[in-house]
């Protein structure tokens, strides 16, 4: 469930093959038209690759909180131009990474996502794009 966390690299756009892979992977694990939206859980290999791409390219990550504190994260690719907002290329829900639901399990979900969304590296990238900084933990709770 917790792949190794490589150190952050410099901000850089995904290569065409990596961009195609992460978009395809996101569409393979999500059902945008169904409920629940989970098609399947991400494999440890897929999750490790996605985490490596986030870290290697310092991709912007944004935490989302849904009903009852349900957590997910958007992953964005860097923009070609600083004044153009980055595009979302993937989204990951707690179910995709095998995190359990429930009030007593919420902290584990927040901790997993916040290591990406609340890192100093991510905050700097979000600020560069004039995107909202991550909020305090209590703002995502249910």
């Amino acid at each position: 469930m917790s792949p190794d966390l490589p150190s952050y690299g410099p901000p850089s756009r995904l290569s065409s093959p990596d961009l195609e892979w992460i978009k395809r992977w996101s569409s393979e694990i999500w059902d945008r038209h169904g409920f629940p939206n989970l098609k399947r859980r991400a494999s440890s290999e897929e999750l490790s690759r996605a985490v490596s791409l986030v870290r290697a390219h310092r991709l912007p990550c944004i935490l989302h909180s849904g009903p009852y504190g349900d957590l997910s994260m958007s992953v964005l690719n860097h923009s070609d131009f600083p004044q153009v907002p980055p595009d979302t290329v993937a989204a990951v829900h707690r179910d995709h990474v095998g995190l359990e639901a429930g009030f007593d399990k919420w902290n584990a979900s927040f901790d997993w996502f916040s290591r990406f969304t609340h890192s100093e590296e991510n905050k700097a990238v979000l600020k560069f794009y004039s995107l909202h900084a991550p909020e305090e933990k209590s703002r995502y709770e249910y």
Side-chain angles (χ1 to χ4, degrees):
M1 179 171 63
S2 295
D4 293 332
L5 296 177
S7 61
Y8 279 98
S12 59
R13 288 183 55 78
L14 291 166
S15 67
S16 291
D18 286 336
L19 179 60
E20 289 175 24
W21 177 84
I22 201 165
K23 284 182 170 184
R24 184 178 61 252
W25 172 68
S26 185
S27 70
E28 289 173 357
I29 61 175
W30 281 100
D31 180 358
R32 302 277 184 222
H33 306 291
F35 185 84
N37 296 96
L38 177 70
K39 274 188 186 175
R40 66 174 176 83
R41 188 171 162 186
S43 71
S44 59
E45 293 82 15
E46 291 169 330
L47 198 53
S48 181
R49 183 173 180 184
V51 165
S52 291
L53 291 173
V54 166
R55 296 284 178 161
H57 296 277
R58 202 177 290 195
L59 299 177
C61 296
I62 299 173
L63 185 63
H64 304 285
S65 180
Y68 309 107
D70 210 10
L71 296 176
S72 63
M73 175 178 77
S74 294
V75 177
L76 296 80
N77 193 13
H78 290 284
S79 171
D80 285 329
F81 305 100
Q83 63 274 21
V84 176
D87 291 328
T88 299
V89 294
V92 181
H93 184 269
R94 66 166 172 73
D95 287 342
H96 293 128
V97 296
L99 296 165
E100 296 180 40
F103 181 75
D104 58 334
K105 308 289 186 194
W106 187 88
N107 283 324
S109 292
F110 181 84
D111 291 346
W112 194 91
F113 286 111
S114 67
R115 62 192 177 151
F116 306 106
T117 61
H118 288 62
S119 71
E120 293 306 313
E121 293 87 351
N122 191 58
K123 289 176 186 178
V125 171
L126 294 175
K127 184 176 181 179
F128 174 80
Y129 285 114
S130 300
L131 297 171
H132 293 290
E135 303 207 34
E136 293 193 28
K137 183 177 182 177
S138 61
R139 297 286 291 158
Y140 299 98
E141 292 175 340
Y142 57 102

